[in-house]
Amino acid sequence: MNNSNIKEWFIRFFKGIFIALGFILPGVSGGVLAAILGLYERMLNFMAHLRQNFKKDFWFFLPVGLGGIAGIILLSRPLEFLLVEYKVIILWGFAGAIIGTLPALTKESGKYGRNLSDWILFVVTIVVGGLFLYNMTAIFGNMPINFFSWMLAGALIALGVIVPGLSPSNLLLYLGLFDPMLAGFKRADISVFLPIALGGMLTLILFSKLMNYLLHHYYAKVYHFILGIVVVSTLLIVIPPVADYSGFNIMSGFISLILFILGIWAGHWMNSLEEKYK
């Protein structure tokens, strides 16, 4: 490996660290970050057509994957601390970041035009999805923390990579998987990493072609469905039971408001970067 190849390897490694933000920060999409860094189209093509140029693409994305793992381990500890000590305040900051992405996501959903049926799907997704998610614990009970729930977490993270603009972390928060996932990442726990990686890889392999097809044939409907899920899941992370307002005071409310506004700005800025480098 010559000096140029070594330099490129480390550049892709650090890109992987950056993309890791999309795995663990609510409001941040791994797909958006991959698009900003110029990796999205090649990654989606690799996953949709695994047998074409497999060896070349595998070695190209290996440092990205290693960087992603390193980034997850490095970033999980401070984020877990913040969610333990200041959970509601941090959740309002995350909610702001997600809301900051909504104008760009709305614009993207109408990229090839839209009609009344797309807006109906959006509203139905909010109403039905909201009722289902809010009552999910009452219907199914608390989600157990086991191998299969970690595979689900990996599948949701992978969907955030496949679909730019979709941030799965708010769903993980609502499902009660986010905090234990961060704790496992902090410990570099193989029993957490392995099923998440397995669920993520299976989802990328199985759904990349499907997502390619859906985006080519039902672009507006796919994005209006995503838009509905993003809206309702964002609302749910700042109301009980996810957010516990015991001990919440005027100062907490003021800091939450500041972080909410900063989050909106950060989400908007992230999307402006995607537009610039797409």
Side-chain angles (χ1 to χ4, degrees), residues 23-26 72-73 75-81 83 94 150 173 177-188 192 196:
F23 300 160
I24 62 174
L25 289 183
I72 286 169
I73 294 171
L75 297 168
S76 294
R77 186 179 296 273
L79 184 57
E80 185 199 27
F81 170 79
L83 285 172
F94 287 158
W150 290 135
L173 273 164
L177 295 174
F178 192 76
D179 291 0
M181 180 183 76
L182 283 184
F185 285 163
K186 184 185 73 174
R187 300 190 307 269
V192 176
I196 285 178

Side-chain angles (χ1 to χ4, degrees), residues 26-28 89-105 234 238 255-273:
V28 180
I89 294 172
I90 297 302
L91 287 179
W92 274 100
F94 287 158
I98 298 166
I99 289 171
T101 67
L102 289 181
L105 192 56
T234 302
V238 292
I255 297 172
S256 297
L257 177 62
I258 296 298
L259 287 182
F260 180 72
I261 294 169
L262 287 174
I264 291 174
W265 173 83
H268 177 73
W269 174 73
M270 186 65 66
N271 277 113
S272 69
L273 279 182

Side-chain angles (χ1 to χ4, degrees), residues 3-273:
N3 288 338
S4 176
N5 288 337
I6 293 172
K7 180 181 177 181
E8 287 293 324
W9 196 96
F10 277 103
I11 287 174
R12 293 198 299 276
F13 179 82
F14 285 111
K15 285 183 177 183
I17 293 177
F18 189 60
I19 289 172
L21 291 169
F23 300 160
I24 62 174
L25 289 183
V28 180
S29 164
V32 166
L33 295 177
I36 290 169
L37 296 171
L39 297 175
Y40 178 73
E41 289 187 10
R42 180 165 179 175
M43 178 191 65
L44 193 62
N45 188 65
F46 174 38
M47 291 300 168
H49 307 95
L50 271 178
R51 287 179 290 183
Q52 295 179 10
N53 302 315
F54 175 81
K55 185 177 179 180
K56 182 179 179 181
D57 284 332
F58 173 81
W59 289 112
F60 178 87
F61 282 107
L62 179 63
V64 179
L66 294 175
I69 294 170
I72 286 169
I73 294 171
L74 290 171
L75 297 168
S76 294
R77 186 179 296 273
L79 184 57
E80 185 199 27
F81 170 79
L82 291 172
L83 285 172
V84 169
E85 299 295 327
Y86 311 103
K87 184 168 185 175
V88 175
I89 294 172
I90 297 302
L91 287 179
W92 274 100
F94 287 158
I98 298 166
I99 289 171
T101 67
L102 289 181
L105 192 56
T106 303
K107 180 181 177 182
E108 187 69 26
S109 68
K111 184 176 179 179
Y112 299 111
R114 61 176 123 229
N115 53 42
L116 180 60
S117 65
D118 298 322
W119 287 116
I120 291 172
L121 177 61
F122 169 67
V123 173
V124 169
T125 301
I126 290 177
V127 174
V128 176
L131 288 172
F132 174 75
L133 287 173
Y134 188 77
N135 293 289
M136 190 167 57
T137 302
I139 297 170
F140 299 108
N142 291 319
M143 178 167 288
I145 306 298
N146 55 31
F147 187 90
F148 295 104
S149 58
W150 290 135
M151 283 191 67
L152 173 62
L156 290 172
I157 290 170
L159 286 175
V161 175
I162 294 172
V163 185
L166 177 63
S167 173
S169 299
N170 41 341
L171 281 172
L172 293 174
L173 273 164
Y174 190 74
L175 293 172
L177 295 174
F178 192 76
D179 291 0
M181 180 183 76
L182 283 184
F185 285 163
K186 184 185 73 174
R187 300 190 307 269
D189 189 340
I190 192 67
S191 67
V192 176
F193 265 109
L194 182 61
I196 285 178
L198 182 59
M201 287 303 298
L202 285 174
T203 302
L204 286 172
I205 292 168
L206 293 174
F207 286 92
S208 290
K209 280 191 175 183
L210 175 62
M211 187 54 64
N212 247 342
Y213 174 83
L214 291 175
L215 288 175
H216 275 91
H217 293 84
Y218 305 101
Y219 192 92
K221 285 183 171 50
V222 169
Y223 265 93
H224 281 79
F225 174 77
I226 292 167
L227 193 59
I229 291 294
V230 170
V231 169
V232 73
S233 59
T234 302
L235 175 63
L236 290 175
I237 68 171
V238 292
I239 63 175
V242 174
D244 180 6
Y245 287 91
S246 57
F248 198 76
N249 54 37
I250 293 175
M251 181 57 69
S252 301
F254 177 72
I255 297 172
S256 297
L257 177 62
I258 296 298
L259 287 182
F260 180 72
I261 294 169
L262 287 174
I264 291 174
W265 173 83
H268 177 73
W269 174 73
M270 186 65 66
N271 277 113
S272 69
L273 279 182

